[in-house]
Amino acid sequence: MRVLYVYCHPLEGSFHAAIRHEALGGLRQAGHAVDLLDLYAEGFDPVLSAGQRRDYHDPAKNRANNQAHVDRLMAAEALIVQFPTWSFGPPAMLKGWFDHLFGPGIAMDLSDPGHAKPLLTHIRHIRGIASYGRPRWQAIGMADPPRKIIKRYLPWFTGWRAKVRYHAIYHMNTATLDRRCRFITTVRREMARL
């Protein structure tokens, strides 16, 4: 299966880098073809410029403005998104990627604005991998936007066809080495079963 692995963390020696290493190992062990999209390493610009915003509702122009990333998204049969949660949301870099790629002519057809249609029906699996600095109960109190993005927002673009799983480690500030290792092992095992 062709997997687009969207990775969003600025530090190479981070806990997230260790998760990514093991997750990619699990995917490759299962024989999947992985396209690693490291937003920071590739210098992705999350800012939607005035010109891009003007072109947003013109499907051809919107696609053309994002063509390199569109090609990668359209080639994928599975989408994996890995990120830390900052201020109870995804990093601005990842939010910008969603703003660019999940719009008209790319992820949805808005030719009839009253009846938007999903265009990512080729994506069969969505996985989210996230870390939180605060405990789960605080994330719930804030309505846990990252979980909703992965489990509710993204699946709509697949016509609700994609199988979705969300892996989160909460309260990273107090997580023991053992708990972190168990989380990484769980993620690797899940990726090997994709």
Side-chain angles (χ1 to χ4, degrees):
M1 184 176 352
R2 292 181 309 275
V3 178
L4 178 59
Y5 195 111
V6 181
Y7 178 75
C8 188
H9 197 285
L11 302 177
E12 191 51 45
S14 67
F15 176 62
H16 268 276
I19 296 170
R20 179 192 62 201
H21 176 77
E22 290 301 318
L24 292 173
L27 290 165
R28 291 186 178 120
Q29 174 187 340
H32 300 305
V34 180
D35 176 5
L36 174 61
L37 170 52
D38 183 333
L39 295 173
Y40 281 94
E42 294 187 24
F44 177 75
D45 182 1
V47 176
L48 196 62
S49 71
Q52 290 169 324
R53 182 61 187 110
R54 268 191 295 280
D55 293 345
Y56 182 81
H57 286 284
D58 181 320
K61 288 180 181 177
N62 195 34
R63 275 184 84 94
N65 287 339
N66 299 287
Q67 196 62 56
H69 288 271
V70 169
D71 292 343
R72 294 168 83 170
L73 183 60
M74 292 306 166
E77 297 168 279
L79 175 63
I80 298 171
V81 185
Q82 183 190 336
F83 57 95
T85 299
W86 293 336
S87 302
F88 294 103
M93 178 81 76
L94 181 58
K95 174 65 169 69
W97 188 78
F98 290 142
D99 291 345
H100 282 273
L101 274 293
F102 287 80
I106 301 170
M108 66 177 149
D109 175 358
L110 274 182
S111 56
D112 177 359
H115 298 92
K117 296 180 193 88
L119 295 178
L120 300 180
T121 56
H122 59 284
I123 294 180
R124 301 182 329 219
H125 299 275
I126 296 172
R127 298 293 185 269
I129 304 168
S131 65
Y132 294 70
R134 306 307 309 150
R136 174 97 166 98
W137 68 266
Q138 284 186 327
I140 291 169
M142 297 300 293
D144 205 349
R147 181 178 290 270
K148 287 181 179 176
I149 289 169
I150 300 298
K151 297 194 78 170
R152 296 182 188 177
Y153 177 69
L154 296 181
W156 180 87
F157 295 100
T158 73
W160 299 106
R161 295 177 182 165
K163 294 178 183 169
V164 182
R165 301 261 336 238
Y166 187 68
H167 303 281
I169 184 167
Y170 292 89
H171 216 179
M172 277 291 301
N173 299 330
T174 64
T176 63
L177 179 59
D178 180 62
R179 190 165 145 242
R180 291 176 188 212
C181 289
R182 280 186 281 124
F183 181 75
I184 290 173
T185 300
T186 299
V187 168
R188 182 183 177 106
R189 193 169 32 244
E190 169 67 23
M191 295 304 116
R193 287 192 296 228
L194 183 68

